[in-house]
Amino acid sequence: MFVAALFCAASASAQCTGDGVQLYPSPGGIVPTNMRLLLEGVGTARSPVLALVGKPLTLEAEGHAVKLKVTKGWESTLGRAIVILKPAEPMQPDKRYTLRLDALLPNVSVLNGRAGVQPSWLSGKGPDLKAPKWVKRPAVSEGFVRRSPQGIARFVKLNLALREESPSYLVVKLAPRRLGVSPQQYLLPVQSNTAYLGHEACGGAFALEDGRSYRARIEAFDAAGNLAPSTPPVDFEAPSAKGP
């Protein structure tokens, strides 16, 4: 059963994500009143998302609206980019807030939302003021490679555990263990104490070279932007697609 579950998780991570946007925290959940949003542009939506920097966006609820300041986040070399949406004030408790994406990104697909519905969240009872705490520091448990007609997907699986009630994320600064190569820096969502670092066959967060040695410097934060304590870097080798 464990092997089957692992194969399903790996296969899901290796699937190609279509063009559109993803939001973190994912739409539909309960979030702290001081939540900040992360908006990712994938594929053809990458450039339009980057163009939002400096433009106004709004979270709207019945009787209340929160203005969002759009600032630059991180860019991947593989067709993705993230901007940070910082609220000018907290949301009010126990209200449904909708992000009016359609004003600036008409007809964009929200890849982790409901089709045809503007993304929304339910605000919780109050703000999240506590930083996440490490219960288990990140470590690479395994790597995998998947071949498809589109190309090769390559990931390593990071196991970790944080004491945190709201959604958590990692910002990874990844550098090869050789001189003269610029590091990559991007976001990884944490799900069920796991994060997948690598790329799909047709894009992704991090480019991994076959069998190359890497060092990952990792920061963790929650939905309100509270940072976890620093943690030692993680060294690993990218999985190889070469057969025996």
Side-chain angles (χ1 to χ4, degrees):
M1 182 179 296
F2 172 79
V3 174
L6 176 60
F7 179 80
C8 290
S11 298
S13 298
Q15 292 174 359
C16 287
T17 304
D19 296 329
V21 300
Q22 299 189 111
L23 285 148
Y24 304 105
S26 297
I30 300 174
V31 295
T33 55
N34 60 338
M35 167 190 74
R36 67 175 190 173
L37 283 168
L38 306 175
L39 175 62
E40 180 179 40
V42 180
T44 58
R46 177 182 183 275
S47 293
V49 164
L50 284 174
L52 293 177
V53 173
K55 295 181 179 179
L57 279 171
T58 306
L59 280 170
E60 296 180 357
E62 185 176 354
H64 190 233
V66 176
K67 293 181 179 179
L68 301 170
K69 180 180 180 180
V70 184
T71 62
K72 190 174 180 180
W74 307 274
E75 293 185 55
S76 166
T77 59
L78 299 178
R80 296 189 180 196
I82 290 175
V83 295
I84 304 170
L85 312 184
K86 298 180 179 180
E89 61 180 293
M91 295 180 286
Q92 295 176 355
D94 300 318
K95 284 181 176 286
R96 173 68 61 180
Y97 282 84
T98 300
L99 177 63
R100 303 308 309 187
L101 270 181
D102 50 353
L104 295 178
L105 296 175
N107 303 316
V108 72
S109 296
V110 180
L111 302 173
N112 61 344
R114 293 170 54 196
V117 178
Q118 289 293 296
S120 66
W121 298 260
L122 180 64
S123 59
K125 299 297 183 182
D128 181 356
L129 302 177
K130 293 183 179 180
K133 301 292 185 183
W134 290 109
V135 176
K136 179 182 178 182
R137 296 182 184 275
V140 171
S141 62
E142 60 195 308
F144 62 89
V145 175
R146 293 287 182 271
R147 295 181 182 272
S148 71
Q150 291 80 24
I152 294 175
R154 181 180 285 110
F155 287 89
V156 295
K157 181 181 178 182
L158 291 171
N159 286 338
L160 58 117
L162 285 162
R163 186 177 294 114
E164 173 59 44
E165 293 184 1
S166 70
S168 301
Y169 310 94
L170 307 179
V171 170
V172 179
K173 187 174 184 179
L174 185 70
R177 299 298 301 274
R178 72 178 192 271
L179 298 176
V181 179
S182 299
Q184 306 171 64
Q185 190 170 23
Y186 205 68
L187 178 102
L188 297 178
V190 177
Q191 296 181 333
S192 302
N193 294 329
T194 300
Y196 288 96
L197 190 160
H199 60 86
E200 304 160 353
C202 44
F206 290 94
L208 296 179
E209 296 182 42
D210 197 304
R212 180 72 63 188
S213 295
Y214 290 92
R215 170 162 288 182
R217 300 186 183 276
I218 298 172
E219 290 185 337
F221 60 91
D222 60 23
N226 300 309
L227 276 172
S230 60
T231 186
V234 176
D235 295 334
F236 67 91
E237 287 190 3
S240 176
K242 298 175 183 177

